[in-house]
């Protein structure tokens, strides 16, 4: 039984990779944009007062750019997981293949998540490497590669899967919700930025950001890769407790939301109806 | 109503297919009401059906009768409002993982397979979807694609195929795990004559040779008549007839005669005795005589003999399934449960 489940799971991973490969051109087109995003945004972030006074010193700073990379790469995974899973699910609904996939013995939330998460990881690694190469051509990036970064990296994935399942559950019910999807991404992006010293945020913002899926994972990555701070502290920004609890909470909420959305769609008879 | 055929293929994932096993499909008081806001539509009323292993059931009904809803409830794709569905003894709602292993499905109105992927990739995907190893799926995929005439183009994306070829891939994908129960919702819709014939022949083979249990919905009633051991007619979500095909047709056999003659009657058609009616039937001519009037029968036969018309057959007229179907769905229920015209009971089931 376990073997069959593993085969079915591997099958979804393979399908996800197959579709990711078919979208390789899209990623290649996007890749320079990711690099340009960091290169252009780097000189501006944290320089609000200079911008207001009209005296921006347009130069790339290694420390700021390195921080941006640490913030940007987890968000890239988040984007790849959440956005692409939304569009893939929508295309499955449109095509009607979702109903065939639902004849799988695997739990449907697992089918949906497995079909994307490995592909999202591979795509992120590719984009991260490409972005790293592009940005490094302009400014050195100094990161402290160490094993302590693995746990927050995994938690980024867990949180990404959780949020993507919440969006997917809503998609099963309401179908075209790309505006909600985009709004969620924007919020996560803005609030997670408060985990690193790039922008000054008000206190309420910093407090609220802990409830967003990426903030503490980004904070922990920042501590592991850019500072000498301990990553084992239980509390505080990037502390072990919020690092584990928040993503796992999102994953649980995602499974719940997906099952709820599925239940509504099956009750309405709209699972495969667009 | 069992046909006595053997049940699941030995390689099947289903393990419940033994003579002592529960029915292949059991619907118990199954009903579905779609609710949207304050309005609600009853798609399926309390439906109870038991389908033995190896039987082919034609699920017929006009548009909106509830056929597709029943098929989707069988696959666990629509949640019943009340009642239960069991596949091979497994409750679809409570034992979904086991239940879905029993079935393969070609669903109406959807692509069923991934168009960007090749036929080969699709079959491997749908085989592994249910937990089969690639080594087990590949030989079967090869056989299916070869038999369906798709082997040479197996690596081309399904999106480049003709509609008929795409439907063949959908049928192959439904069969890739060799499930004992197959749900076919309008499998020949939109196909040209040749493609429809291929799919129909395949369904016949699945039923007659492989002993599959098949639930078939179609508006092509000659297909249903040819393939189905049993017909269930649904009207407004309610099963109004559920009988073995032969019994359903014989119940509606009329007290009239049908004479078949090879070729056209020519001028003879105009001089038939009053009450006789001739009409072409393929390469033959069908002469219908009302009221079971034997004197009229002898008179017509005499005319045909004297004109040297090549007689093919003389039989009591049996309406086609299409005629029976139209009669059933158009019948108005009478106050006592019979029909206004008395042609049939409102509900006809095997006794």
């Amino acid at each position: 039984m376990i073997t069959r489940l593993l085969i079915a799971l591997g099958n979804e991973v393979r399908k996800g990779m197959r579709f990711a490969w078919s979208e390789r051109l899209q990623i290649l087109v996007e890749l320079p944009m990711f690099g340009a995003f960091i290169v252009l945004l780097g000189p501006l972030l944290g320089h609000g007062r200079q911008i207001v006074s009209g005296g921006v010193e347009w130069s790339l700073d290694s420390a700021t750019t390195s921080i941006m990379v640490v913030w940007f790469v987890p968000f890239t995974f988040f984007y790849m997981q959440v956005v692409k899973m939304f569009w893939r699910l929508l295309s499955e609904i449109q095509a009607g293949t979702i109903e065939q996939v639902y004849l799988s013995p695997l739990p449907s939330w697992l089918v949906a998540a497995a079909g994307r998460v490995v592909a999202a990881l591979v795509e992120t690694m590719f984009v991260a490497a490409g972005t790293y190469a592009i940005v490094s051509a302009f400014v050195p990036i100094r990161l402290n590669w160490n094993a302590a970064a693995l746990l927050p990296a995994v938690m980024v994935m867990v949180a990404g899967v959780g949020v993507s399942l919440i969006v997917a559950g809503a998609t099963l019910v309401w179908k075209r919700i790309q505006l909600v999807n985009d709004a969620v991404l924007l919020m996560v992006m803005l609030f997670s930025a408060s985990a690193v010293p790039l922008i000054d945020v008000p206190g309420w913002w910093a407090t609220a950001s802990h409830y967003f899926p990426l903030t503490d994972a980004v904070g922990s990555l920042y501590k592991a890769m850019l500072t000498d701070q301990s990553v084992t502290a239980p509390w505080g920004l990037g502390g072990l407790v919020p690092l584990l609890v928040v993503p796992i909470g999102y994953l649980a909420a995602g499974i719940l939301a997906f099952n709820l959305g599925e239940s509504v769609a099956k009750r309405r008879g709209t699972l495969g109806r667009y | 109503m069992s046909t006595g055929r053997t049940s699941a293929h030995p390689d099947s994932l289903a393990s419940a297919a033994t003579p002592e096993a529960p029915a292949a499909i059991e619907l118990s008081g199954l009903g579905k009401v779609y609710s949207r806001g304050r309005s609600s539509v009853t798609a399926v009323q309390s439906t109870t059906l038991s389908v033995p292993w190896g039987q082919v059931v034609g699920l017929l009904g006009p548009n909106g009768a509830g056929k597709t809803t029943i098929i989707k409830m069988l696959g666990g794709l629509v949640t019943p409002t009340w009642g239960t569905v069991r596949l091979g003894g497994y409750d679809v709602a409570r034992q979904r993982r086991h239940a879905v292993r029993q079935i393969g499905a070609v669903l109406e109105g959807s692509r069923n397979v991934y168009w960007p992927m090749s036929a080969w990739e699709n079959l491997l995907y749908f085989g592994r979807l249910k937990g089969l190893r690639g080594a087990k799926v590949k030989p079967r995929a090869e056989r299916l694609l070869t038999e369906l005439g798709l082997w040479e183009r197996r690596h081309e994306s399904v999106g480049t195929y003709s509609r008929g070829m795409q439907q063949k891939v959908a049928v192959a994908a439904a069969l890739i795990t060799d499930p004992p129960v197959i749900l076919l919702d309008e499998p020949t819709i939109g196909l040209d004559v040749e493609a429809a014939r291929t799919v129909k022949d395949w369904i016949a083979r699945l039923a007659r040779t492989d002993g599959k249990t098949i639930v078939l919905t179609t508006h092509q009633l000659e297909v249903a008549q040819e393939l189905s051991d049993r017909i269930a007619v649904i009207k407004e979500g309610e099963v109004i007839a559920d009988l073995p095909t032969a019994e359903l047709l014989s119940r509606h056999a009329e007290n009239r005669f049908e004479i078949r003659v090879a070729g056209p009657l020519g001028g003879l058609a105009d001089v038939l005795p009053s009450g006789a009616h001739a009409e072409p039937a393929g390469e033959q001519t069908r002469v219908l005589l009302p009221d079971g009037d034997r004197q009229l029968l002898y008179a017509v036969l005499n005319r045909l003999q004297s004109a040297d018309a090549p007689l093919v057959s003389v039989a009591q007229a049996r309406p086609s399934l299409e005629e029976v179907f139209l009669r059933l769905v158009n019948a108005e229920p009478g106050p006592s449960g019979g029909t206004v015209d008395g042609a049939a009971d409102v509900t006809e089931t095997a006794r």
Side-chain angles (χ1 to χ4, degrees), chain B residues 233-265:
Chain B
V233 180
I234 302 170
K235 181 184 176 184
E236 293 169 0
E238 191 176 7
V239 176
I240 58 170
D242 175 18
L243 289 169
T245 310
E247 190 179 336
L248 181 69
L249 294 172
S250 70
R251 277 198 188 189
H252 287 264
E254 295 163 358
N255 188 22
R256 58 179 181 159
F257 292 109
E258 178 185 300
I259 302 168
R260 282 186 175 257
V261 177
L265 280 186

Side-chain angles (χ1 to χ4, degrees), chain A residues 16 34 49 68 72 78 111 117 122 125 158 214-215:
Chain A
F34 289 124
R49 288 190 182 84
M68 279 198 72
F72 180 74
F78 197 78
V111 171
V117 65
V122 172
M125 289 170 74
V158 171
L214 290 189
T215 310

Side-chain angles (χ1 to χ4, degrees), chain A residues 1 3-16 18-19 22 88 91-108 111 173 262-273, chain B residues 12-13 32-36 72 75-80 96-98 100-101 103-118 121 124-134 136 157 170 174:
Chain A
M1 186 58 71
T3 309
R4 279 183 178 164
L5 291 180
L6 288 175
I7 289 171
L9 205 57
N11 194 40
E12 291 307 317
V13 170
R14 192 181 289 114
K15 182 179 79 176
R18 167 70 174 76
F19 284 116
S22 70
R88 181 109 296 279
S91 74
E92 295 249 15
I93 293 170
Q94 280 180 311
T97 44
I98 190 168
E99 292 184 321
Q100 289 291 346
V101 174
Y102 260 80
L103 297 178
S104 163
L106 282 178
S108 42
V111 171
V173 179
E262 175 188 313
S263 169
V264 171
K266 283 184 173 181
R267 205 170 57 243
R268 290 182 182 173
T270 58
L271 192 63
R273 197 183 303 162
Chain B
S12 166
L13 283 167
K32 179 66 191 174
V33 177
Y34 290 115
S35 300
R36 261 295 166 93
K72 290 194 174 179
L77 302 169
V78 167
T79 307
R96 179 182 163 275
R97 202 174 65 191
H98 295 290
V100 295
R101 283 213 176 88
I103 55 172
V106 177
L107 301 169
E108 184 262 337
S110 72
R111 291 181 180 177
N112 288 294
V113 293
Y114 292 98
W115 283 14
M117 284 162 46
S118 69
E121 287 175 316
L124 293 193
Y125 170 75
F126 283 107
R128 288 169 175 150
L129 182 71
K130 296 202 176 177
L132 259 62
R133 289 178 189 281
K136 192 167 185 180
S157 73

Side-chain angles (χ1 to χ4, degrees), chain B residues 255 257 289-301 316:
Chain B
N255 188 22
F257 292 109
L289 311 179
D291 305 329
D293 185 341
R294 288 179 187 276
Q295 292 307 317
L296 181 59
L297 172 66
Y298 295 139
V300 172
L301 287 174
Q316 188 182 29

Side-chain angles (χ1 to χ4, degrees), chain B:
Chain B
M1 278 184 287
S2 172
T3 59
R5 288 194 205 111
T6 55
S7 51
H9 188 280
D11 290 341
S12 166
L13 283 167
S15 56
T18 64
E20 300 80 24
I25 300 169
E26 284 202 64
L27 312 184
S28 306
L30 192 70
K32 179 66 191 174
V33 177
Y34 290 115
S35 300
R36 261 295 166 93
R38 290 179 185 172
S39 65
S40 64
V41 176
T42 303
V44 179
Q45 302 190 30
S46 288
T47 297
T48 297
L49 282 176
S50 180
V51 183
W53 294 101
Q55 191 173 66
V56 181
V57 179
L59 210 55
L60 310 181
N63 288 334
K67 307 181 297 292
T68 296
T69 297
I70 289 178
I71 291 274
K72 290 194 174 179
M73 286 195 285
L74 279 170
L77 302 169
V78 167
T79 307
T81 307
W82 54 77
T84 57
V85 180
R86 298 183 85 85
L87 294 172
Y90 296 113
D91 188 323
V92 170
R94 294 167 193 273
Q95 298 165 291
R96 179 182 163 275
R97 202 174 65 191
H98 295 290
V100 295
R101 283 213 176 88
Q102 312 289 315
I103 55 172
V106 177
L107 301 169
E108 184 262 337
S110 72
R111 291 181 180 177
N112 288 294
V113 293
Y114 292 98
W115 283 14
M117 284 162 46
S118 69
W120 180 251
E121 287 175 316
N122 265 292
L123 293 198
L124 293 193
Y125 170 75
F126 283 107
R128 288 169 175 150
L129 182 71
K130 296 202 176 177
L132 259 62
R133 289 178 189 281
K136 192 167 185 180
V137 178
K138 283 176 183 172
R140 189 162 170 79
E142 182 176 345
R143 188 165 69 83
L144 285 167
L145 290 173
T146 303
E147 290 176 3
L148 284 167
L150 296 170
W151 181 248
E152 296 301 319
R153 297 184 62 183
R154 66 190 179 281
H155 293 309
E156 294 175 29
S157 73
V158 174
T160 64
Y161 286 3
S162 68
R163 177 80 184 86
M165 291 167 76
Q166 288 167 345
Q167 192 70 344
K168 285 181 189 175
V169 178
V171 172
L175 298 174
I176 189 67
T177 57
D178 198 16
V181 178
I182 300 170
L183 311 177
L184 300 170
D185 194 5
E186 299 283 0
T188 54
I189 197 167
L191 300 187
D192 63 28
V193 175
E194 192 182 347
R197 166 56 63 182
T198 308
V199 171
K200 197 172 88 173
D201 289 347
W202 254 77
I203 298 169
R205 198 187 113 175
L206 290 170
R208 313 296 171 217
T209 310
D210 298 348
K212 301 291 184 191
T213 306
I214 298 175
V215 179
L216 168 73
T217 81
T218 180
H219 287 294
Q220 293 173 295
L221 298 185
E222 73 284 359
V223 174
Q225 182 172 353
E226 189 179 326
L227 297 176
S228 307
D229 302 313
R230 172 181 170 185
I231 297 288
V233 180
I234 302 170
K235 181 184 176 184
E236 293 169 0
E238 191 176 7
V239 176
I240 58 170
D242 175 18
L243 289 169
T245 310
E247 190 179 336
L248 181 69
L249 294 172
S250 70
R251 277 198 188 189
H252 287 264
E254 295 163 358
N255 188 22
R256 58 179 181 159
F257 292 109
E258 178 185 300
I259 302 168
R260 282 186 175 257
V261 177
L265 280 186
L268 192 57
D270 299 328
V271 294
L272 287 174
S274 172
H277 165 71
E279 62 185 28
E283 293 180 352
Q284 299 175 350
T285 301
R286 189 162 74 141
V287 182
L288 293 168
L289 311 179
D291 305 329
D293 185 341
R294 288 179 187 276
Q295 292 307 317
L296 181 59
L297 172 66
Y298 295 139
V300 172
L301 287 174
N302 279 335
R303 294 268 172 95
L304 293 173
Q305 187 183 22
S306 56
D308 208 18
L311 188 67
V312 175
S313 64
V314 180
Q316 188 182 29
R318 291 170 68 91
S320 66
L321 182 59
E322 185 175 333
E323 288 167 313
V324 173
F325 172 77
L326 290 172
R327 215 174 283 175
L328 284 167
V329 298
N330 292 327
E332 293 292 332
S336 60
T339 55
V340 170
D341 64 2
D345 294 336
V346 168
T347 304
E348 298 187 21
T349 53
R351 310 224 203 285

